[in-house]
Amino acid sequence: MTAPDLVLALHGTRSRAGQAVAARLADAVAAGLPGVRVRIGWADVLTPTLTDTLSGIGEAVVVPAFLTAGYHVTSDLPAAIEASGGRARLAGLIGPGLVDAVADRLVEAGGPGDAVVLAAAGSKRQRSLDEVAAAARRLSRRVDRPVVPAFVTAAHPSVGEAVADLRAAGHRRVAVAAYLLAPGVFADRLQEAGADVVSAPIGVHRLVVAAVRSAYAAATATE
């Protein structure tokens, strides 16, 4: 029996670097899944949209390349699947297992410093904010430093506010750990937060590749 296609659902960015990360991630995932076609469907900004991608294929598993369950994951992706005919299944999030990847990027940037701000995109969904807070607690245990969650948009504290609060509390060297998957506008804004160290987005880390494959495998295990 032919394996379902794996469709990576990504946010979308006008950043060429962010688009290149998406392409490399798809290639890396495909390299470990012989016989599975790996495709990309964008949730916003770019085409082909997720609906476009799904409409042109048969059975598929959509793996959200998102770190938390914000609006795109809980609303837009299910709507795109429905609009394409409802043949695809939506896999679980990849974010919960990626704190070690964030820690790796932080060390590569010269961190963790004395305290860390875990900088996420932001959301108006409380579930998404709670997931970032949980990731901050896991990162704190991983790097043995205080870690506070903060957001680029849509929620508080902002990344700059969190950096300032940590300095006011007496932490001299403050790092920002990017809880973002790829380069783009949000990653660029982290450079303006006043931190001593800013890590790169997670990118095509081995743990991201493994998380995508695991999400796909879990979604197809009930067949």
Side-chain angles (χ1 to χ4, degrees), residues 13-24 181-184 188 204:
T13 175
R14 292 183 176 87
S15 164
R16 294 292 182 86
Q19 293 170 27
V21 165
R24 292 201 304 272
L181 191 61
D188 292 344
V204 189

Short mmCIF file of all heavy atoms in Angstrom, two decimals, residues 13-24 181-184 188 204:
data_model
loop_
_atom_site.label_atom_id
_atom_site.label_comp_id
_atom_site.label_asym_id
_atom_site.label_seq_id
_atom_site.Cartn_x
_atom_site.Cartn_y
_atom_site.Cartn_z
N THR A 13 6.89 33.02 5.08
CA THR A 13 7.71 34.20 5.32
C THR A 13 8.23 34.73 3.98
O THR A 13 8.48 33.95 3.06
CB THR A 13 8.90 33.87 6.24
OG1 THR A 13 9.74 35.03 6.36
CG2 THR A 13 9.73 32.72 5.70
N ARG A 14 8.40 36.05 3.90
CA ARG A 14 9.01 36.63 2.71
C ARG A 14 10.53 36.56 2.76
O ARG A 14 11.20 36.90 1.79
CB ARG A 14 8.53 38.07 2.53
CG ARG A 14 7.05 38.15 2.18
CD ARG A 14 6.60 39.58 1.93
NE ARG A 14 5.20 39.62 1.50
CZ ARG A 14 4.16 39.65 2.34
NH1 ARG A 14 4.38 39.64 3.64
NH2 ARG A 14 2.93 39.67 1.88
N SER A 15 11.06 36.15 3.89
CA SER A 15 12.50 36.00 4.05
C SER A 15 13.02 34.85 3.19
O SER A 15 12.56 33.72 3.32
CB SER A 15 12.85 35.74 5.52
OG SER A 15 14.15 35.24 5.67
N ARG A 16 13.98 35.15 2.32
CA ARG A 16 14.57 34.10 1.50
C ARG A 16 15.25 33.06 2.38
O ARG A 16 15.23 31.86 2.08
CB ARG A 16 15.57 34.70 0.52
CG ARG A 16 14.94 35.61 -0.53
CD ARG A 16 14.08 34.82 -1.50
NE ARG A 16 13.50 35.65 -2.53
CZ ARG A 16 14.10 35.98 -3.67
NH1 ARG A 16 15.32 35.55 -3.93
NH2 ARG A 16 13.49 36.74 -4.56
N ALA A 17 15.88 33.53 3.46
CA ALA A 17 16.54 32.59 4.37
C ALA A 17 15.53 31.67 5.03
O ALA A 17 15.76 30.46 5.19
CB ALA A 17 17.32 33.36 5.44
N GLY A 18 14.37 32.21 5.42
CA GLY A 18 13.32 31.39 6.01
C GLY A 18 12.76 30.38 5.03
O GLY A 18 12.50 29.22 5.37
N GLN A 19 12.59 30.78 3.78
CA GLN A 19 12.11 29.86 2.76
C GLN A 19 13.13 28.75 2.49
O GLN A 19 12.76 27.59 2.26
CB GLN A 19 11.81 30.63 1.48
CG GLN A 19 10.64 31.60 1.60
CD GLN A 19 10.51 32.52 0.41
OE1 GLN A 19 10.94 32.19 -0.70
NE2 GLN A 19 9.94 33.70 0.61
N ALA A 20 14.41 29.11 2.54
CA ALA A 20 15.46 28.11 2.33
C ALA A 20 15.47 27.09 3.46
O ALA A 20 15.68 25.89 3.22
CB ALA A 20 16.82 28.79 2.22
N VAL A 21 15.23 27.53 4.69
CA VAL A 21 15.14 26.60 5.82
C VAL A 21 14.00 25.62 5.60
O VAL A 21 14.15 24.41 5.83
CB VAL A 21 14.95 27.37 7.15
CG1 VAL A 21 14.48 26.43 8.26
CG2 VAL A 21 16.26 28.02 7.56
N ALA A 22 12.87 26.10 5.12
CA ALA A 22 11.72 25.23 4.86
C ALA A 22 12.07 24.16 3.83
O ALA A 22 11.75 22.98 4.01
CB ALA A 22 10.52 26.05 4.40
N ALA A 23 12.72 24.56 2.76
CA ALA A 23 13.09 23.61 1.71
C ALA A 23 14.09 22.58 2.23
O ALA A 23 13.98 21.38 1.93
CB ALA A 23 13.67 24.36 0.51
N ARG A 24 15.08 23.04 3.00
CA ARG A 24 16.06 22.11 3.54
C ARG A 24 15.43 21.15 4.54
O ARG A 24 15.80 19.97 4.60
CB ARG A 24 17.21 22.87 4.20
CG ARG A 24 18.08 23.65 3.22
CD ARG A 24 19.45 23.95 3.82
NE ARG A 24 19.36 24.67 5.08
CZ ARG A 24 19.29 26.00 5.19
NH1 ARG A 24 19.28 26.76 4.10
NH2 ARG A 24 19.22 26.57 6.37
N LEU A 181 11.19 28.83 14.56
CA LEU A 181 11.71 27.75 13.72
C LEU A 181 12.66 28.26 12.64
O LEU A 181 13.65 27.60 12.32
CB LEU A 181 10.55 26.98 13.06
CG LEU A 181 10.93 25.67 12.37
CD1 LEU A 181 11.54 24.69 13.37
CD2 LEU A 181 9.71 25.07 11.70
N ALA A 182 12.38 29.43 12.07
CA ALA A 182 13.14 29.87 10.90
C ALA A 182 13.38 31.37 10.93
O ALA A 182 12.68 32.12 11.62
CB ALA A 182 12.39 29.49 9.62
N PRO A 183 14.36 31.86 10.17
CA PRO A 183 14.60 33.30 10.07
C PRO A 183 13.40 34.02 9.46
O PRO A 183 12.61 33.44 8.73
CB PRO A 183 15.81 33.39 9.13
CG PRO A 183 16.45 32.05 9.16
CD PRO A 183 15.33 31.08 9.38
N GLY A 184 13.29 35.30 9.78
CA GLY A 184 12.20 36.12 9.26
C GLY A 184 12.09 37.38 10.09
O GLY A 184 12.99 37.72 10.87
N ASP A 188 14.41 38.75 13.30
CA ASP A 188 15.15 40.01 13.16
C ASP A 188 14.86 40.95 14.34
O ASP A 188 15.76 41.65 14.82
CB ASP A 188 14.77 40.71 11.86
CG ASP A 188 15.27 39.96 10.63
OD1 ASP A 188 16.15 39.09 10.77
OD2 ASP A 188 14.76 40.26 9.52
N VAL A 204 17.11 23.79 10.75
CA VAL A 204 17.10 22.36 10.40
C VAL A 204 17.99 21.61 11.37
O VAL A 204 19.09 21.15 11.03
CB VAL A 204 17.53 22.14 8.94
CG1 VAL A 204 17.30 20.68 8.53
CG2 VAL A 204 16.75 23.06 8.00
#
